[in-house]
Amino acid sequence: MEGLPPEIAEEVEVVRAIYGDESVHVCADADPAQGFRIEVALEPRVEQGAALVSATLALLLPPGYPCDAVPQASVERSRGVSDGGTAALLAAAKRAVQEHGLSEDGCMCQLLGEVSEALDAANDE
């Protein structure tokens, strides 16, 4: 992936392997001095046709990520997720950053996994 530091490019490839190429978008217009923006479209892990909710999570990877800075998460778009559900998604992201942030391996996969679990729970509500 052009323009991304190798450690971030490698982590994005792992995220793509888990969530699918079509679900992961690297925003190419970002200024590297401001960091990198990655958007991941998430759906609950349920049977085909049983997904009642979805969300697109934006991750801003600031300069210094992954060892010296943590990602900032926001919900860009959502379908069927209440305000409380959105808050639960962001709380899950925050917990994952607190637990796994500042690791030389990065924390995008852990963060997305925690948010996916919260999205699964929102689908069950």
Side-chain angles (χ1 to χ4, degrees):
M1 275 163 276
E2 195 173 316
L4 288 178
E7 63 276 3
I8 293 176
E10 187 176 307
E11 194 175 4
V12 168
E13 285 305 315
V14 172
V15 169
R16 281 191 165 137
I18 296 169
Y19 295 96
D21 284 338
E22 64 284 343
S23 295
V24 181
H25 176 69
V26 178
C27 300
D29 59 346
D31 176 5
Q34 300 296 314
F36 299 94
R37 184 180 168 89
I38 314 290
E39 293 182 357
V40 182
L42 299 171
E43 292 190 5
R45 297 166 287 200
V46 294
E47 318 178 356
Q48 185 74 18
L52 304 174
V53 298
S54 64
T56 298
L57 194 72
L59 300 175
L60 176 61
L61 309 177
Y65 176 83
C67 294
D68 300 321
V70 297
Q72 299 167 356
S74 62
V75 176
E76 285 301 299
R77 292 176 293 283
S78 66
R79 177 182 58 85
V81 180
S82 67
D83 290 344
T86 299
L89 298 180
L90 293 174
K94 184 176 181 178
R95 278 192 311 274
V97 166
Q98 288 172 341
E99 186 174 338
H100 304 286
L102 303 178
S103 162
E104 68 181 40
D105 295 328
C107 66
M108 277 194 281
C109 291
Q110 295 92 335
L111 188 155
L112 291 166
E114 295 278 343
V115 172
S116 289
E117 285 182 22
L119 193 62
D120 293 347
N123 191 68
D124 294 338
E125 291 179 355

